Amino acid sequence: EAGVAQSPRYKIIEKRQSVAFWCNPISGHATLYWYQQILGQGPKLLIQFQNNGVVDDSQLPKDRFSAERLKGVDSTLKIQPAKLEDSAVYLCASSLRQGSEAFFGQGTRLTVV
Amino acid sequence: QKEVEQNSGPLSVPEGAIASLNCTYSDRVSQSFFWYRQYSGKSPELIMSIYSNGDKEDGRFTAQLNKASQYVSLLIRDSQPSDSATYLCAVGYSSASKIIFGSGTRLSIRP
């Protein structure tokens, strides 16, 4: 069974530029999560989807971050404009249903200079 | 107030000994609990899940859950150098079961 796919693996951008990350969850997984992990910290939940609906986005900085999950499968996370403090690893995870085990993709390491 | 608390470590354990990792959480209605292992530069990898009070064993790993005291722990028996990593405790919160992570405990197994 294929795991969670994410791209790109690495991205370097200048501050005030925009960037987008893509995630393809495990087939059949209804719940999709985007996390931000800053070096030395645990993953911080940015947004949670159940199929194509948003369940929780309370920690998403909505003035610059946006996310969508069209058709309840793939998802994209966008940052516009980026700030230096957005430098982090962005992790996508999926689970069969809410509350069940979540499996992570390899992540996208973003560096904002 | 942090929702999931872990000691950041580092926790140093001799090879072959038992490593004990602890985690407390604040939401009494939490229903799902997970332990992840994260090697440096890699993404978190699920190693255990537990949903009811008591112990759950899987190979060298045992997860323990006490909902009344709001803590969950992970025991690693016969610790190996390959167990050296950061261990993340995660809790499924609220009716939506959003999964919230602690900051992780760094474990170092010394030969």
Side-chain angles (χ1 to χ4, degrees), chain A residues 51-70:
Chain A
N51 297 310
N52 61 349
V54 175
V55 173
D56 187 284
D57 63 357
S58 56
Q59 296 294 302
L60 187 73
K62 298 180 186 63
D63 58 334
R64 298 185 300 108
F65 286 63
S66 64
E68 60 182 9
R69 190 183 184 196
L70 298 177

Side-chain angles (χ1 to χ4, degrees), chain B residues 38-53:
Chain B
Q38 187 172 30
Y39 293 114
S40 181
K42 302 295 186 182
S43 60
E45 173 193 10
L46 178 71
I47 52 174
M48 291 285 288
S49 61
I50 187 166
Y51 298 91
S52 54
N53 278 330

Side-chain angles (χ1 to χ4, degrees), chain A residues 35 37 48 55-56 99 101-102 105, chain B residues 32 36 38 43 49 96 98-99:
Chain A
Y35 289 89
Q37 188 173 26
Q48 177 181 341
V55 173
D56 187 284
E101 295 92 342
Chain B
S32 50
Y36 288 80
Q38 187 172 30
S43 60
S49 61
K98 62 181 183 179
I99 299 177

